[in-house]
Every structure is written in structure tokens, then in C-alpha cells.
Amino acid sequence: MRSGETLFAYSESGGSDAVKITIFGTGYVGLVTGACLADAGHRVLCVDVDEDKVCRLQAGHVPIYEPGLEELVARNSREGRLAFTASAADGVGFGVLQVIAVGTPSDEDGSADLSHVLAVARTVGEHLDGYRVIVNKSTVPVGTADRVREEVSAVLAARGEELSFDVCSNPEFLKEGAAIEDFTRGARIIVGTESERVRELMRECYAPYNRHHEKLMFMDVRSAELTKYAANAMLATKISFMNEMANLAERLGADIEEVRKGIGSDPRIGYHFIYPGCGYGGSCFPKDVRALERTAREVDYQASILSAVEEVNARQKASLFEKLSSALGGVSGKTIALWGLAFKPQTDDMREAPSRALMEAVWNAGGRVRAYDPEAMDECRRLYGERTDLALTGDRGEAVEGADALVVCTEWKEFRVVDFDWLRSTLASPVLIDGRNIYDPEAARSAGLRYFGIGRP
């Protein structure tokens, strides 16, 4: 029996089109990818160096919040298509496809930290015993596939082995909160390779999600690597551009929401990603914009737009505190109610979330925060621990009771409808900072609230 087989719930050969796949990394990308490929009928073994995390996954505990993911993992584990291990040897021995889905956080200089990616490459080289395709799904700078190939080759040379392998790029395009839908019904599947053998294996891998129309796009590796960064940078640019326009609208007495409708009606622009707000966050946009700008500098090119995108976003996150402090005449000794901690709805991810910039500014100015989020409360506790100037409440009503102002940072559905008369009577002072423009300013002001939105007069 091949290494890793005994980890599955029961031995199943699968259909004739089933592919054995190993995924290194059980974070957001790795876990969603593994669960979705297993659900399509493939046999998937997920590898992680964190043994406690592996034990929790084997017991059915999914460490991240993503709609539908826990059920998907449980079903495919139970039915023998998905398994988890901390053994790299088992992982390399199992799948013909070796998928790298580990993190690439920002280094101090803004570049992508490839230490985890290259560590996996060395691990594969140490245990390789036959042909494998190393599939890079992590978001990485252009040229990383070459570095992965060099790492594996160096380890094989040290072993005195000459074994065949290929490296390809297969970037992910998953939105947190809609990742399963994006994986199963995504607009495109990009594979960077020059090898026909790799093309055939990747066609088999994605065949269940490529039946209705051709979504597979094959290109050279470097183009595939750049495509991922370019896509995220373009979306981040749209957000920062709208926030720039919002700031201009405030100063000109225009309403950015009317402007948004006007420009969005142009099919060349469209309505996606042109919603003004308090800035973007998460694990992708901030990191990827910085990494791409750093890559440009490495090839002696000044990517002025990318620099401006990040600068505008940082300024936009700071604008919430500026509006709040101005409205209250300072926040020292004040209690600020906060609705929404996650960087966007349908996730518990608080990485680089606008809420964090706001809370930390309030604390630095001597204020207190009372916050509620439908999913991110545990993540907030993990990040900040127990502190006297932070209270995490059981519902949105408890958060605003007697607070000096309410700030909305995340547009969860349960925040979209509110009785403004109730809100006015519940707050100690009638200040509402709408960081996502989800409320009608006139309705809020008619109830006696001092309403402050983004880009609204």
C-alpha cells in the first residue's frame, strides 16, 4: 500500500478519473482546495506541520470560518476521499500532484516571504521517489517556480538521485466568504506550464469543474504567476480609486453613492469593487499590492499606481478615527461601540482589517471599545487577549448600550437594518460613523443622529 493510504477512512480506489493529490498547508487556500477536489471524487491528503491542527482536523474541527466548509470537510473525510497528516513523507509518497498552499506573508521590506514555500520544495526533494508535479498554488512573485525547481534539484543532487519532476503555477482566485462557490464555479482556472504531461494531469484534476464550458487557461509559468498579482492589484486599485473619489466628494459637497451609480452603469466600468468605505484588508490585497510593488523595484521600475493604492488605503483606514475624534471632540475616556471586526462579511479573518486600525487608535487616545461581530469574536480575543479597554458583547444591542458613538466597520447583513429611533435612545451621544455607507443619511439624521458616512455631504 502506498504511503498515506492508511490515513483514509477506508480504502477506495475511486473512479477511473480520480487523481491522488497531496496538499501542503491546511490554511484557508489549502483546506478549501482539498475539500473541493475531494468532493469532486479525487483522493486528497492534506499535510500540515502543526500536529495539533492536524488532530483537530482529523476530529472534524475546522479552524477557520468559511460558509459550507465544515460540512464539506466532514463529508469527504467520512466518505474516504479526504485525510490529514503531519507526515511529509506520507504526503510526498501519496499524490502525483504535490500542491503547495502555504502562506507567503509580507516580509519587513514588503516582499513576499517565500520561506514556507521553499521549505516545502526541499521537503518534496527529500522524499521524492518517482515522478511528481509540484503545483504552486500559493501567491508568489514571478520567478518562484524557478526557485522551487532549483531547491528540489539541489536536494536531489545531494541525495545522488536523478528523478523526474515538473513545477507548474496554478494560482487561486478565492474570495473569503464565497470560496467554495469560487472554486467550483470560478470564471477561470489558470495553469502555467510548458509540459504537455502536466497539462493532461491538470485537465484530469479539474475535469469535474470544467464540464459546461472551457475554463482552463494554459500559459507560461511566469505569466501565470503575474496574473494572480495583477488581478488582486486591479481590484485593490478600484477600491482605492473610489475611496479617493469619496474623499474628494466630501470636500466638494457631492454624494459618492450617486457618483458610484453613475459610473457603474457604464459597462466598461461596472459595479463590482467600486463601493467606497473604510479601506480594504484581509490576507490578500494588502500583502499582494506591497509584494508586486516590491517586485517592480527589484527590476528598476517605479510602480507609481501600486504605491498610491496602498497609500490611499492606509489613509482611508485612518479616516474612521479622524471622523470619530472630530465628532466627539476627542475619545479619551469615551466608550466606542463597534459593529464588525472581520475585514469583510462571511469570514472571521481580521488580518489588516479596518476595525483593528480603529480600535488601536481609540486605545492609544485613551478610549474604550465595546465590539460585536457575528463570527470574529474568538479571533479578536486571540489577537488582543483580555484587556480592560475592550469588551466583546453577545449581540449588537449590548455593544451600543450607553456608548458615546457607534462605528460600523463591516457590512454584515444583520447590521443593514436598524431602528434609528432605538439607536438614538440607546447611545449616550447620537454619533453614527457609517464606515460602509449602508444607511440612509437622511433617515438617520431625521431620528436625531449625527450621521457621518464615507464621501457623503
Side-chain angles (χ1 to χ4, degrees):
M1 182 172 286
R2 287 283 297 276
S3 180
E5 289 282 1
T6 57
L7 295 164
F8 288 81
Y10 60 88
S11 182
E12 176 190 86
S13 62
S16 60
D17 295 329
V19 179
K20 289 185 177 180
I21 303 166
T22 295
I23 297 179
F24 284 91
T26 59
Y28 189 84
V29 173
L31 198 53
V32 171
T33 299
C36 288
L37 289 175
D39 202 51
H42 299 309
R43 310 272 317 281
V44 180
L45 179 60
C46 293
V47 182
D48 202 290
V49 295
D50 186 338
E51 293 188 10
D52 289 338
K53 187 177 184 181
V54 168
C55 288
R56 292 196 300 271
L57 285 164
Q58 289 172 337
H61 301 299
V62 174
I64 58 175
Y65 174 73
E66 176 65 32
L69 182 59
E70 188 168 356
E71 296 83 353
L72 203 64
V73 169
R75 181 173 70 250
N76 285 282
S77 298
R78 184 173 61 249
E79 295 178 2
R81 293 184 297 271
L82 179 64
F84 302 94
T85 184
S87 170
D90 284 348
V92 178
F94 181 75
V96 65
L97 298 183
Q98 301 278 308
V99 180
I100 301 177
V102 294
T104 53
S106 286
D107 221 331
E108 290 183 4
D109 62 359
S111 62
D113 180 355
L114 296 179
S115 59
H116 302 305
V117 171
L118 299 179
V120 173
R122 289 190 292 272
T123 297
V124 173
E126 289 166 4
H127 299 288
L128 200 64
D129 60 358
Y131 179 75
R132 300 289 188 276
V133 178
I134 302 171
V135 181
N136 200 351
K137 192 166 276 292
S138 297
T139 301
V140 294
V142 175
T144 299
D146 294 334
R147 295 187 63 183
V148 168
R149 185 177 294 105
E150 290 165 3
E151 291 286 336
V152 177
S153 296
V155 174
L156 289 175
R159 289 174 53 193
E161 298 277 3
E162 291 186 11
L163 297 171
S164 177
F165 69 94
D166 281 305
V167 180
C168 76
S169 174
N170 176 218
E172 55 85 14
F173 297 95
L174 306 178
K175 296 190 298 292
E176 293 192 40
I180 293 173
E181 178 75 9
D182 284 346
F183 193 98
T184 58
R185 301 178 184 274
R188 77 286 208 198
I189 302 166
I190 289 177
V191 178
T193 183
E194 305 291 346
S195 165
E196 186 56 39
R197 187 176 185 180
V198 173
R199 289 191 188 98
E200 285 306 311
L201 280 169
M202 296 302 282
R203 285 191 185 101
E204 290 178 35
C205 175
Y206 284 111
Y209 298 123
N210 195 41
R211 298 193 185 282
H212 299 300
H213 65 276
E214 183 60 59
K215 293 190 287 186
L216 268 167
M217 297 181 181
F218 291 104
M219 60 184 69
D220 64 275
V221 175
R222 286 179 170 249
S223 294
E225 291 171 333
L226 182 56
T227 296
K228 168 62 178 179
Y229 274 121
N232 279 355
M234 172 61 80
L235 297 175
T237 299
K238 293 182 74 173
I239 294 170
S240 280
F241 176 81
M242 282 306 293
N243 284 333
E244 191 90 294
M245 292 300 101
N247 295 332
L248 187 57
E250 282 186 14
R251 289 156 176 78
L252 295 174
D255 187 338
I256 193 61
E257 289 300 315
E258 299 302 323
V259 175
R260 177 183 63 80
K261 296 171 189 174
I263 67 174
S265 62
D266 185 332
R268 297 171 300 174
I269 299 173
Y271 291 103
H272 293 298
F273 285 85
I274 62 167
Y275 288 84
C278 50
Y280 58 75
S283 63
C284 295
F285 288 3
K287 169 179 70 72
D288 293 351
V289 170
R290 286 194 291 265
L292 188 55
E293 196 272 334
R294 172 68 181 181
T295 296
R297 279 188 276 136
E298 289 174 354
V299 293
D300 296 322
Y301 181 75
Q302 183 178 345
S304 302
I305 291 177
L306 296 179
S307 300
V309 166
E310 185 65 10
E311 180 184 342
V312 169
N313 192 58
R315 190 169 65 223
Q316 201 67 14
K317 289 180 182 179
S319 70
L320 281 185
F321 179 74
E322 292 168 4
K323 291 176 185 291
L324 177 67
S325 183
S326 175
L328 294 177
V331 301
S332 180
K334 306 286 178 61
T335 297
I336 309 305
L338 178 58
W339 283 359
L341 294 164
F343 84 95
K344 63 181 284 188
Q346 299 301 316
T347 183
D348 60 355
D349 194 343
M350 288 182 62
R351 283 174 286 186
E352 305 212 34
S355 64
R356 296 182 66 177
L358 175 66
M359 288 192 294
E360 290 164 15
V362 169
W363 294 331
N364 289 337
R368 298 178 298 273
V369 174
R370 197 186 299 148
Y372 170 72
D373 186 285
E375 293 295 339
M377 306 290 266
D378 288 342
E379 178 65 4
C380 189
R381 290 188 187 95
R382 185 189 72 81
L383 289 169
Y384 294 111
E386 298 296 328
R387 47 188 301 159
T388 57
D389 50 9
L390 171 63
L392 299 175
T393 66
D395 56 50
R396 67 178 196 172
E398 185 182 351
V400 300
E401 185 71 42
D404 294 290
L406 168 63
V407 183
V408 179
C409 277
T410 316
E411 64 275 30
W412 286 95
K413 285 184 179 178
E414 67 179 83
F415 300 154
R416 288 181 176 273
V417 177
V418 62
D419 182 333
F420 290 128
D421 291 324
W422 164 82
L423 184 60
R424 170 66 182 86
S425 64
T426 305
L427 287 167
S429 62
V431 175
L432 170 58
I433 312 292
D434 183 1
R436 296 297 179 183
N437 285 1
I438 59 176
Y439 301 127
D440 179 349
E442 293 308 314
R445 289 173 182 140
S446 294
L449 290 164
R450 295 176 62 204
Y451 174 92
F452 302 88
I454 305 295
R456 315 189 86 168

